[in-house]
Amino acid sequence: MNQFDCVVVGAGMVGAASALSLAELGLKVAVIEKKAPAAFSVEQAFDLRVSAISLASEQLLQQLDAWQQLKQWRMCPYKRLGVSECESSYTEFDANNIGQSHLGHIIENRLIQLSLWQKLQQHPNITLLCPESLVKLEQHSTEVELTLASQSIRTKIVVGADGGNSYVRKLAHIGTTGWDYAQSAMLINVRTEKPQQDITWQQFFQTGPLAMLPMPGHSASLVWYQAKDEIKRLSALSPRSLEQEIMQNFPSKLGRIEVINQAAFPLTRRHANQYHKGRVLLLGDAAHTINPMAGQGVNLGFKDVKALQHVIAQAIGNGESWHQEDVLARYQQKRRTDNLLMMTTMDALYLSFGHVSPLVKLARNAGLTMVNKLPQLKNKALAYACGI
């Protein structure tokens, strides 16, 4: 039976990054994945799933040697972030104000995964088990035995990075708290009349936020939050009819657009009751599914990756047994409270903008106006969001 130091279940963005970061420490790592990502070609249409990659996440991808490949493929840097409910409360954050050339990049999720996948294939400390799937997980005092679809393997620790419906989490008997929001989100890829590639913006309405994420060229990813029934109606429209709805509902600064592709998904919040149980650890969406409103999902996952790498590297450096439970528990201590704070903040913001009270609306707009008048506070918040 094959023996590993670490088995990572799930080779999405967070899983692949965690496997590489642990292999860089000299650990013998196996990665279990059901399906390899498709190859890239420049003719492919933009994927609907994109992420706003923060400066901190960019640094991690550079460390893992995946960033250069992404630059050769496609990405869109943005320098400004606009937030508003009405014109008088418009607040704009600028990279120049925190001494940076940009605030982040909008990148397709599948390209991030593919660039990391290519590094997984090349790393001498990594064994890729694909196509393969997890069937059973048994924890013992010194190791974990994993029964897979085609074989059994043993490992010192298991990293569950297999998404919001994590099977690792289920097999480890780790519960979650959370709920489904009353809304869904629609992702719409469009061609834009106006060039606006250096800014991403979000405008809040009682019915939900509207957002624009710039893509390379005259392209953009629009995010439309609405009641589930309304999103269902919008999803059934023809591209031309959907264009008319966008023109009527989105801010005029968007300009004329052409719909290329669209899809919708329900909004959910899930938070694992613990990130660590015995020799099992949860990272990324397996540990926390956050409201996507602020685009922090994968960035929080990458913070998990960096925290776990730091905990294990420090233990190795101190001559500790890095896979002991008291060491692994430090990862949870580093990440769970921080993630919970971000999730709670996003929920409070989300709920406040849906509040019908004129007093609440007045307080919201006063808050945004105050942020504009306090540049120190504004820049500190921006630096935190960028992870610097």
Side-chain angles (χ1 to χ4, degrees), residues 25-47:
L25 299 179
L27 304 190
K28 184 182 178 184
V29 180
V31 179
I32 300 170
E33 177 57 45
K34 293 178 181 177
K35 185 180 179 182
F40 170 75
S41 70
V42 291
E43 295 81 18
Q44 289 171 338
F46 292 117
D47 201 60

Side-chain angles (χ1 to χ4, degrees), residues 310-369:
H310 177 77
V311 164
I312 293 181
Q314 194 172 50
I316 292 172
N318 292 337
E320 296 178 89
S321 180
W322 60 267
H323 47 84
Q324 291 301 312
E325 286 192 39
D326 59 333
V327 173
L328 300 178
R330 295 171 198 165
Y331 157 70
Q332 175 172 300
Q333 292 162 8
K334 277 180 171 288
R335 292 301 304 141
R336 196 170 186 280
T337 301
D338 187 56
N339 285 335
L340 183 59
L341 177 62
M342 178 62 77
M343 295 171 80
T344 304
T345 301
M346 288 303 100
D347 281 339
L349 190 62
Y350 175 81
L351 291 170
S352 77
F353 277 102
H355 207 290
V356 296
S357 166
L359 289 176
V360 174
K361 183 173 182 177
L362 182 66
R364 284 194 304 259
N365 290 323
L368 287 173
T369 303

Side-chain angles (χ1 to χ4, degrees), residues 57-74:
S57 295
E58 177 183 333
Q59 289 167 4
L60 175 65
L61 292 168
Q62 286 176 339
Q63 175 198 322
L64 300 176
D65 200 25
W67 189 254
Q68 193 59 36
Q69 180 63 78
L70 286 167
K71 286 178 70 176
Q72 291 173 13
W73 288 338
R74 58 193 185 200

Side-chain angles (χ1 to χ4, degrees), residues 40 79 100 140 160 248 332 384:
F40 170 75
K79 300 178 179 180
Q100 300 292 329
H140 305 294
Q248 290 169 13
Q332 175 172 300
Y384 176 77

